[in-house]
């Protein structure tokens, strides 16, 4: 059998296990772990080791074996994992990620990093040896025997596993005491030869390594109830328990090894792993179905409702079913924001250590769901913003104490739904942005600044390419590269970014994103004989201006009076080079908003509202100024989606100039 076809699943599962290990180790370091955490971390390492050995990835299995040995000592109570030990384990985890990448892509192995990981674990093990010899074995009771309760799941045979093979493997390590429990064995007439009914109580000498026992059950740990109990030498060996008690031992073991085994089984029963490209293909097909359904709905408006009552009723049912199907399929791509947040505890820990700062990370709203594509693209901007908060926002501990603050700074990550959007906020309780310093730097760089700019306008200056107020360059930040890219990336997702800051109180960066990039609620408008889509989340209102509401400034720019405000007025036909009617006033003005700024777009006619399936214009054609994408309408025509954010940004630059 060609086992290489299972490599992709191994790499993916191993990375998930490494994430679980890292989260568990950080929880243990911060003191927020519970008694189960060490078991979770151990099982993650054990799974990686088993898979690596199966596929012949020797470097991975050897490093994981060392790591697993250290963890085994910790979970058996023979070692306390201090900061140094957790640091060594985290470094080993990093090396494992590198080895996985090397095995997956054929890259060269980082020998220096691998050696550092091995040395770190060996150093920890060496300390343990020295310590244990100094403290005498009195405080570390030796293990006299291992008692193993093993109850296979009824379906174990169907997975190709054989309990007899496990018993033989255990016997190869030492004298094996076996008590068979047949209380669940049915009568012969009811016996199903494909089901496992027997359980066993096994005894092994204490000289057998725990890891050898775990290895024997590595392939069935999620298909059985397993309890491994170490019986200390100073304790009298308990008499062989009755069959009834032995059944209880298995049950207790299930509590001790909790939930993991049970949860794993449940998860395996309730979920499947599907390639992303298959999900995307399904979503594309549903998108085509939505277009077809919209086409049928549009054409059905020309039918006689009386003569075609049955047909129209069927089309309404199709409309409802299509929408339900679309929502269900889109839900498949939705992932909790935790996927993005989970990387920050480690990053914050390492950065704080590196900068000699004390930082506390708080996260909330991790269960908030967001499209997988959006999560993947928002990670880099979030990383940059968190790095900035730690490097520039938070003060050194002495400085914070002098300011009357807790010497430990706080970085908060929060995600929440607001309407059809998700808002992610990155906050710190640091020194805040320095308004005067930003204005001075902006003046030095010759950036356009209006008279008496608001705080929001001043904070927006940090998004200019190359802008930085840092006095010194570091390898973390200071070159002014990043914030402009952050804003550009968020804008590319159809999102907006906003900064709020108060001096000596802190700074909050708020990111507003659409839940998904595939479907858009839009307002259809007619401009110059063409149909365009305005993203509904940008539309504030539409109105028909009265004569005198439109003014011309300096003979060029036009503004529209909307109640007490004057908003820039753009003729969409002129923006896209289309022929449009010449008017003294706007036929219809649609007020839109992006980045906290409003403007009015002049259109010929409002056609309606509908959900549209967004098609990427850049990948199919090229980037077009003022257009963020395209879609196919119900009548088969292509409609372009207006880039409201781009128009607002261009208008802001023009005003500043």
């Amino acid at each position: 059998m060609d086992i290489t076809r299972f490599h992709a699943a191994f790499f993916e599962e191993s990375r998930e296990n490494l994430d679980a290990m890292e989260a568990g180790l950080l929880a243990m370091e911060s003191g927020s772990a519970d008694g189960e955490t060490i078991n979770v971390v151990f099982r993650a390492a054990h799974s990686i080791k088993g898979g690596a050995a199966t596929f012949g990835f020797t470097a991975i299995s050897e490093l994981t074996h060392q790591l697993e040995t250290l963890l085994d000592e910790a979970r058996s109570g023979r070692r306390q994992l201090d900061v140094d030990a957790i640091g060594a384990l985290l470094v080993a985890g990093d090396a494992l990620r590198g080895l996985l990448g090397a095995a997956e892509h054929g890259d060269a192995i980082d020998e220096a990093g691998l050696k550092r990981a091995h040395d770190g674990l060996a150093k920890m093990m060496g300390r343990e040896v020295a310590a244990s010899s100094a403290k005498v074995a009195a405080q570390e009771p030796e293990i006299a025997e291992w008692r193993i309760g093993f109850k296979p799941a009824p379906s174990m045979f169907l997975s190709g596993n054989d309990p007899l093979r496990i018993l033989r493997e255990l016997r190869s390590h030492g004298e094996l005491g076996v008590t068979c429990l047949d209380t669940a064995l049915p009568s012969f007439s009811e016996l199903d030869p494909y089901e496992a009914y027997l359980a066993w109580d096994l005894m092994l000498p204490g000289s057998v390594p725990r890891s050898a026992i775990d290895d024997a059950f590595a392939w069935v740990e999620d298909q059985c109830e397993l309890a491994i109990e170490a019986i200390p030498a100073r304790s009298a060996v308990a008499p062989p328990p009755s069959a009834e008690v032995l059944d209880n031992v298995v049950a207790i073991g299930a509590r001790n090894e909790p939930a993991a085994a049970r949860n794993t089984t449940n998860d395996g029963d309730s979920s499947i792993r599907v390639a992303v490209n298959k999900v995307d293909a399904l979503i594309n097909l549903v998108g085509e179905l939505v277009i077809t359904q919209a086409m049928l709905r549009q054409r059905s408006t020309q039918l006689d409702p009386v003569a075609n009552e049955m047909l129209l009723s069927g089309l309404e049912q199709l409309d409802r079913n299509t929408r339900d199907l679309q929502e269900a399929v889109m839900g498949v791509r939705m992932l909790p924001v935790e996927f993005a947040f989970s990387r920050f505890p480690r990053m914050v820990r390492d950065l704080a250590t590196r900068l000699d700062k004390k930082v506390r990370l708080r996260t909330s709203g991790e269960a908030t769901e967001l499209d997988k594509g959006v999560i993947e693209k928002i990670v880099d901007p979030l990383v940059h913003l968190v790095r900035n908060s730690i490097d520039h926002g938070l003060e050194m501990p002495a400085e914070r104490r002098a300011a009357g603050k807790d010497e430990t700074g706080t970085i908060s990550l929060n995600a929440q739904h607001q309407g059809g959007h998700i808002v992610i906020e990155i906050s710190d309780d640091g020194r805040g942005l320095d308004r005067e310093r930003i204005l001075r730097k902006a003046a030095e760089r010759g950036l356009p600044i209006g008279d008496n700019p608001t705080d929001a306008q001043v904070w927006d200056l940090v998004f200019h390419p190359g802008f930085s107020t840092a006095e010194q360059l570091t390898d973390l930040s200071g070159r002014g590269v990043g914030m402009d890219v952050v804003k550009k990336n968020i804008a590319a997702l159809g999102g907006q970014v906003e900064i709020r800051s108060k001096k000596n109180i802190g700074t909050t960066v708020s990111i507003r994103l659409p839940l998904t990039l595939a479907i858009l609620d839009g307002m259809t408008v007619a401009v110059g004989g063409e149909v365009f889509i305005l993203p509904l989340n940008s539309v504030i209102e539409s109105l028909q201006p009265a004569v005198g509401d439109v003014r011309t400034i300096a003979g060029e720019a036009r503004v529209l009076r909307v109640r007490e405000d004057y908003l820039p007025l753009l003729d969409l036909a002129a923006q896209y080079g289309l022929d449009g009617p010449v008017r003294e006033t706007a036929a219809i003005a649609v007020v839109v908003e992006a980045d906290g700024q409003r403007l009015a777009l002049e259109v010929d006619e409002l056609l309606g509202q509908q959900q549209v399936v967004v098609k990427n214009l850049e990948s199919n054609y090229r980037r077009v100024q003022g257009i963020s994408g395209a879609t196919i309408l119900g009548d088969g025509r292509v409609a372009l989606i207006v880039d409201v954010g781009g128009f607002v940004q261009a208008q802001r630059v023009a005003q500043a100039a």
Side-chain angles (χ1 to χ4, degrees):
M1 182 172 62
D2 181 15
I3 63 172
T4 58
R5 61 196 177 103
F6 300 116
H7 280 183
F10 165 70
F11 293 133
E12 190 171 352
E13 290 175 1
S14 295
R15 290 191 174 95
E16 290 175 1
N17 282 320
L18 283 176
D19 291 341
M21 279 179 52
E22 188 173 289
L25 291 170
L26 292 173
M28 292 164 66
E29 187 181 54
S30 65
S32 60
D34 56 26
E36 173 58 15
T37 305
I38 182 62
N39 291 324
V40 172
V41 174
F42 177 84
R43 281 193 292 271
H46 186 70
S47 297
I48 297 173
K49 174 188 164 184
T54 301
F55 294 119
F57 299 129
T58 308
I60 297 175
S61 61
E62 287 179 351
L63 178 58
T64 318
H65 180 70
Q66 273 208 63
L67 190 149
E68 184 188 63
T69 304
L70 189 61
L71 290 171
D72 188 40
E73 292 180 356
R75 76 168 185 163
S76 62
R78 287 176 288 153
R79 165 188 292 276
Q80 290 293 321
L81 291 181
D82 56 14
V83 174
D84 291 338
I86 289 177
L89 290 168
L90 289 172
V91 169
D94 293 340
L96 281 174
R97 287 186 195 278
L99 290 174
L100 286 171
E104 184 175 15
H105 305 296
D107 301 334
I109 293 177
D110 178 8
E111 297 291 350
L114 182 58
K115 183 177 184 306
R116 188 164 54 250
H118 275 292
D119 290 349
L121 293 175
K123 185 178 177 182
M124 291 297 108
M125 299 295 290
R127 284 180 184 171
E128 170 63 16
V129 171
S132 60
S133 60
K135 290 180 182 174
V136 192
Q139 297 181 5
E140 301 288 346
E142 293 182 359
I143 298 172
E145 283 189 294
W146 293 102
R147 176 185 294 162
I148 306 165
F150 174 40
K151 185 177 182 181
S155 60
M156 177 179 282
F157 292 135
L158 300 179
S159 64
N161 286 297
D162 182 359
L164 186 58
R165 179 195 62 78
I166 299 172
L167 299 186
R168 286 172 178 158
E169 182 175 344
L170 291 173
R171 191 175 61 186
S172 69
H173 298 300
E175 185 178 352
L176 179 66
V178 179
T179 303
C180 181
L181 311 174
D182 57 0
T183 54
L185 194 65
S187 61
F188 187 78
S189 59
E190 297 175 351
L191 191 144
D192 183 344
Y194 294 103
E195 288 200 4
Y197 298 106
L198 302 180
W200 290 271
D201 177 61
L202 309 168
M203 301 295 287
L204 267 179
S207 57
V208 177
R210 167 66 185 254
S211 58
I213 300 174
D214 290 334
D215 284 346
F217 292 100
W219 292 101
V220 298
E221 59 183 358
D222 58 347
Q223 298 173 34
C224 67
E225 292 181 8
L226 183 65
I228 303 174
E229 181 185 6
I231 301 177
R234 65 186 180 192
S235 301
V237 177
S242 66
E244 184 178 350
V245 174
L246 279 169
D247 263 351
N248 290 339
V249 171
V250 174
I252 291 169
R255 286 199 297 273
N256 291 341
E257 289 254 17
R262 293 196 298 269
N263 288 345
T264 303
T265 302
N266 292 338
D267 290 346
D269 290 342
S270 61
S271 65
I272 58 174
R273 190 180 296 273
V274 180
V276 174
N277 58 351
K278 291 184 178 178
V279 175
D280 288 343
L282 179 61
I283 289 176
N284 281 336
L285 287 173
V286 172
E288 297 302 324
L289 178 63
V290 170
I291 292 170
T292 305
Q293 183 271 330
M295 189 181 301
L296 290 173
R297 182 177 54 194
Q298 181 166 335
R299 293 184 179 177
S300 67
T301 58
Q302 303 167 6
L303 299 177
D304 182 347
V306 177
N308 300 280
E309 182 180 359
M310 296 289 289
L311 176 60
L312 293 175
S313 175
L315 289 175
E316 288 180 6
Q317 183 65 37
L318 175 64
D319 192 357
R320 287 193 294 272
N321 291 343
T322 303
R323 181 171 286 269
D324 290 345
L325 176 63
Q326 176 188 326
E327 291 177 356
V329 171
M330 293 307 298
V332 174
R333 278 188 61 97
M334 302 300 276
L335 295 175
V337 176
E338 184 184 7
F339 277 81
F341 284 4
S342 61
R343 69 184 56 201
F344 290 108
R346 174 70 187 280
M347 194 190 91
V348 170
R349 170 194 184 272
D350 291 350
L351 280 180
T353 303
R354 192 168 160 190
L355 297 171
D356 289 328
K357 292 183 177 180
K358 294 186 177 180
V359 184
R360 177 190 305 114
L361 176 66
R362 288 179 176 159
T363 59
S364 58
E366 296 96 326
T368 309
E369 290 189 328
L370 190 59
D371 186 275
K372 180 179 186 295
V374 179
I375 285 184
E376 290 172 347
K377 292 176 181 174
I378 197 61
V379 165
D380 286 344
L382 289 180
V383 166
H384 187 86
L385 292 171
V386 171
R387 285 162 60 113
N388 259 7
S389 292
I390 298 175
D391 194 17
H392 295 309
L394 296 182
E395 311 92 332
M396 297 297 289
E399 190 179 346
R400 291 181 65 86
R401 285 195 299 271
K405 295 181 176 179
D406 183 352
E407 65 176 6
T408 301
T410 300
I411 301 287
S412 301
L413 293 173
N414 175 58
Q416 59 180 319
H417 283 299
Q418 284 188 7
H421 291 76
I422 183 173
V423 176
I424 301 176
E425 291 190 335
I426 304 96
S427 305
D428 67 68
D429 62 348
R431 56 174 64 92
L433 296 180
D434 188 330
R435 176 186 169 95
E436 299 307 319
R437 195 170 178 181
I438 292 175
L439 286 173
R440 188 168 62 250
K441 286 287 183 180
E444 290 173 3
R445 289 176 51 85
L447 297 179
I449 309 171
D451 295 333
N452 301 319
T454 64
D455 281 347
Q457 290 172 323
V458 175
W459 309 149
D460 262 5
L461 291 171
V462 304
F463 291 117
H464 278 272
F467 188 91
S468 175
T469 59
E471 298 295 343
Q472 293 182 338
L473 299 181
T474 70
D475 56 345
L476 287 180
S477 54
R479 295 184 185 278
V481 178
M483 290 301 283
D484 59 321
V485 178
V486 166
K487 185 167 187 175
K488 183 179 178 183
N489 289 349
I490 293 171
L493 293 172
Q496 302 167 9
V497 59
E498 174 192 15
I499 296 179
R500 303 188 298 274
S501 183
K502 287 187 177 180
K503 194 169 184 179
N504 296 324
I505 299 296
T507 301
T508 296
V509 180
S510 178
I511 299 172
R512 186 180 177 85
L513 293 166
L515 288 178
T516 177
L517 303 178
I519 305 290
L520 176 76
D521 284 315
M523 172 184 281
T524 51
V525 296
V527 178
E530 300 288 343
V531 177
F532 288 84
I533 306 293
L534 288 171
L536 206 54
N537 56 31
S538 301
V539 175
I540 304 298
E541 61 180 321
S542 59
L543 51 100
Q544 192 153 29
V547 177
D549 284 344
V550 178
R551 305 283 179 85
T552 302
I553 300 175
E556 297 180 357
R558 295 187 303 162
V559 295
L560 172 67
R561 189 178 70 179
V562 180
R563 291 177 282 279
E564 302 302 323
D565 291 333
Y566 281 92
L567 305 179
L569 176 63
L570 299 184
D571 185 345
L572 277 187
Q575 293 293 325
Y576 295 132
L578 301 173
D579 295 329
V582 179
R583 318 181 201 93
E584 292 297 327
T585 61
I588 296 177
V590 181
V591 179
V592 294
E593 182 177 15
D595 288 346
Q597 184 168 332
R598 294 188 301 163
L599 59 82
L601 301 176
E602 186 177 2
V603 303
D604 299 334
E605 186 181 359
L606 303 180
L607 300 178
Q609 296 180 10
Q610 68 178 81
Q611 279 197 330
V612 297
V613 180
V614 180
K615 302 290 184 183
N616 190 313
L617 197 60
E618 289 185 51
S619 59
N620 295 302
Y621 177 54
R622 64 178 175 83
R623 180 168 178 76
V624 178
Q625 195 73 23
I627 298 296
S628 61
T631 189
I632 301 174
L633 299 175
D635 59 4
R637 286 189 297 167
V638 173
L640 300 176
I641 301 171
V642 177
D643 181 9
V644 174
F647 280 129
V648 167
Q649 184 64 27
Q651 195 65 25
R652 181 176 293 168
V653 172
Q655 287 176 343

